[in-house]
Amino acid sequence: MKTARRFPSYFLVVGLLAALAGASVASQSLRGPPDVRATDANVTRLTTGILGQSQFAHHPLDTELAGKLVDHYLDALDGSHSLFLQSDLVEFSSYRAGLAAAMLAAGDTTAARAIFARYLQRLGQQVAYDDELLRTDRFDFAGHDSYLFDRRRAPRPADLTTARELWRQQLRADYLQEKLTDKPPGEIVTTLTRRHAQQLHTMKGYRDDEILEIYLDALAHVYDPHSDYLGREQLEDLSIAMNLSLFGIGASLDSSEGYCKVHELMPGGPALRSGLLKPGDRIIAVAQAGQPPVDIVNMPLSRAVQLIRGPKGSSVVLSVVSGPEGAAGLPRTVSLVRDEIKLEDQEAKARILDVPAGNGTTLRLGVIDLPSFYAEMGLRAGGTHRSATADVARLLRKLEAEKVRGVVLDVRHNGGGSLEEAISLTGLFIRKGPVVQTRDPSGAIEVGTDDDGRVLYDGPLVLLTSRFSASATEILAGALQDYGRAVVVGDTSTFGKGTVQSIVGLASVMDKAGLPHAYDPGALKVTISKFYRPSGASTQLRGVASDIILPTPTDFADVSESALKNPLPWDVVPATAYERLDRVAPYLAALRQGSSRRVKSERDFAYLAGDVEQMAKNLATKSVSLNEAERRRELTSAKARREAYERDSRTLQGDRPIVYPVTLKNVDMPGLPSAVAAEKGNDPSLRGGEDTGRPVSIGGDVILDESVRILADYVAALSAGHPATRLGAL
C-alpha cells in the first residue's frame, strides 16, 4: 500500500508574524516576560496570521470576516439569542470596521473583553429576574402557549422588556419540565434558583485566557467548522482521542442552540456501556457526586466540558433531555463513573450469524463492527502492530474459515481516524487502485492508493453507514461505492466531512517567531486540504449517499456537515483511473424492492417510523408546548409506544439469528465460539456478555437486522447468477 500526504510548512507564517511583531515586542522581551494581556495580543496576532495564510481558503482576515467573527462570538456566548439586546448589537457594530486591522497589527482583544463583560451583565439581569419570578409568581400551565427552544435564527430581543418576557417563557419551560417529574413546587424553586446562581458564578470565574479561547475559536469557525483554536485544556482533551474529545464518560460533545449535545458515544466508554445516553441527547445540568447540579444551558462548551470531565473513578450526574419527544421530554438523571477508554474497547469485533432461511435451514453470514480507524504507534512485543486494518484482516480470515457467505461491515458509529488505515482497510476488499484523492490549497492533488495486488475478502459485502459515519469512514464508503464493490446501506448519506486538519502547537511557533508568552497558548487546528473519491467527487458537504436508505432516528439534516456554519463547498476534481467491478448495480433495484417491502410491512419498522415521525415533528416546529395536560398526554403516549414495542420485541426473539461473537481474544481459536445470552436491546458481542455455552437468538437493532437481510438477498441473487432471481426468498 502506498499513500501520499501533503502538509503545509509553517516557516513562512513564522517569518511573517516575526515581522509583524515589530520593535515594540522585541523591546518588551528585553524588559522581561510579558504579562497576560501582552500574551493575549501575541496569541491573537499569531492565530489571525496562521488562519489567513494556512487555512484551505487562504483568505486573510478582512472587514467581512471580522463582521462574521463578531456574530460568531455573540452566538458562542448566547446561542439561544436571548441575552444580548438589539441595542447591544448596535453598540458592538462599531467594532466591525476596524477589527481586522487592529487584530492583525496589534492583536487587539478589546472587543472580546467588552462583549464578554456585557454578556455577564445580561446574564446577571436574567438570573435576578428569574429569582424574582420564582419568589413571587404563580406559574400556570393551562393555556396554549409554547416556547421556541431553537432560536438560532430568531431575532435577539429588542429591549430589556422584550428580553424579560423571553426569559419568563424560558423559566416557565424549565419549571414545567421539573413539574412533570412530580416534584413539589418548593423543590422546583430551590432547584432552579440554585442552578441559575451557579451558572452565573461559573461564568464570572472565567480567566482572561478562557475568554480569549472562546473568541479565537469563533474566529477559526469563521473559516470553516473544523478549524479550531484549542486552549491548553482542550489540547489535553485532543490528545486522548483521534476524533473530537473524550471527557471521562466516553462521549464527544458539541454545542447547538445554547445546549451541550451528545455528538457521539465511544465504544467501551461509560456512556455507551450504561445504555443511558445516545447521540442527540441534550445535557442541561451537571453535578459532581454529592453536590447540587449546575445549569449548563447557554454555557460555553469549553466550560461545560470542564464540569463533565474529571478523574478516573469519580462520579458525575447529568440531567438529560432526550428521546423522540425532544425538548418536550422529561429530564432524566444519568449517573456515570468516569473511566479511561481502553484500546481493546474500541477495537474491531465480529459476529457470525446463523440466519433462519426457511425449511429448517440457515444461512451463515458475518458482521464486523469497526468503531474507528485506529493505529498504535510503534510495535508491540513480538513485532506486532495493532491497527484497524490488521484487526479486521484477522476477523475476516476467521469468518471465511467458518464459511460465512457474506459480510456486513458496520461503520455507523465510526467518526474517522487514520487516513492511512482507511486506505489500507479499503485494500482488503479490492485488488489494487486509488482510494482517495487529496487536494491542497494550491490545487495540487495527491492520490492515496492500495498497490499490494491482493484481495483478502472477495465475497458479498454490505457497508452499513449513518449520519455519524464521517471523515476517513467516508473515504472507505466512497471508494467501495465507486468500485461497485459493496452495497452501501443506511441513512440518506454520511456526515459529509471531507476535509483534513493539521494541529499547530502555538508555543513552539511563538518561540521561533520571538513572540513572548506568559502562559501555554495551546494550539490551532487548521483545515489544510480536501478529500475526493476516485471518481473525483468530494465527500465534503454531501457525504456518501446510501444505495439503500433505511428509516432511522439519525437521518436528519441537522446531523450533518451542511448544518454547521461556514462549511467548505462541495466540488469535483478529475477522476483517476480505477477498476469498476460493477458488483452492485445489476442487483440494486431488486435489493431495494425487497427491503422496501419489509420496511413497509414489519412491526419493528412501524414502531421506528413512529419515533422518526415524532422527531421530525419536533425538529420542524422547534418549539415545546407549555400546556401541562397536553405534555402529560404526549409523555403517556410515548411511554405506551415504548412498552408496546418492548412487548412485541420479546415475542419476536425466536425469529432472530443465532449469534456467535468473535473478538480479537478468541479469533485464533479453532471452531465456532460459544453463542452468548441475549440482552434486551443490546448485542452482547459488543458488551462482552456472559458466555453461556448455548446458542440463543438476540434482537434490538432493527437497522442491523435489515442490513443482514439485505445481505442475505444479495447472497441469494449472486448465487443464482441473475439479478432478478430468488431475491426476497430469505
Side-chain angles (χ1 to χ4, degrees), residues 433-434 483 534 575-580:
Y483 277 80
T576 186
Y578 64 96
E579 180 184 8
R580 291 174 173 82

Side-chain angles (χ1 to χ4, degrees), residues 394-463:
R394 293 176 65 195
L395 296 171
L396 283 170
R397 293 188 185 101
K398 177 65 174 179
L399 296 184
E400 290 212 294
E402 298 303 328
K403 302 294 191 293
V404 301
R405 301 280 302 282
V407 172
V408 173
L409 181 57
D410 187 350
V411 291
R412 284 176 294 175
H413 307 292
N414 191 324
S418 166
L419 172 62
E420 287 75 15
E421 285 301 309
I423 295 171
S424 60
L425 195 140
T426 303
L428 300 178
F429 305 104
I430 62 173
R431 188 170 61 87
K432 64 178 181 178
V435 175
V436 63
Q437 303 185 73
T438 306
R439 181 169 72 90
D440 69 15
S442 71
I445 295 175
E446 302 286 354
V447 180
T449 64
D450 171 69
D451 290 333
D452 62 16
R454 294 174 296 170
V455 180
L456 181 61
Y457 174 73
D458 199 39
L461 181 64
V462 166
L463 188 69

Side-chain angles (χ1 to χ4, degrees), residues 36-37 40 113 205-213 519:
V36 171
R37 192 61 56 84
D40 289 351
R113 296 191 303 273
Y206 259 49
R207 305 185 307 266
D208 284 351
D209 63 305
E210 292 179 298
I211 297 171
L212 183 67
E213 179 180 334
Y519 57 81

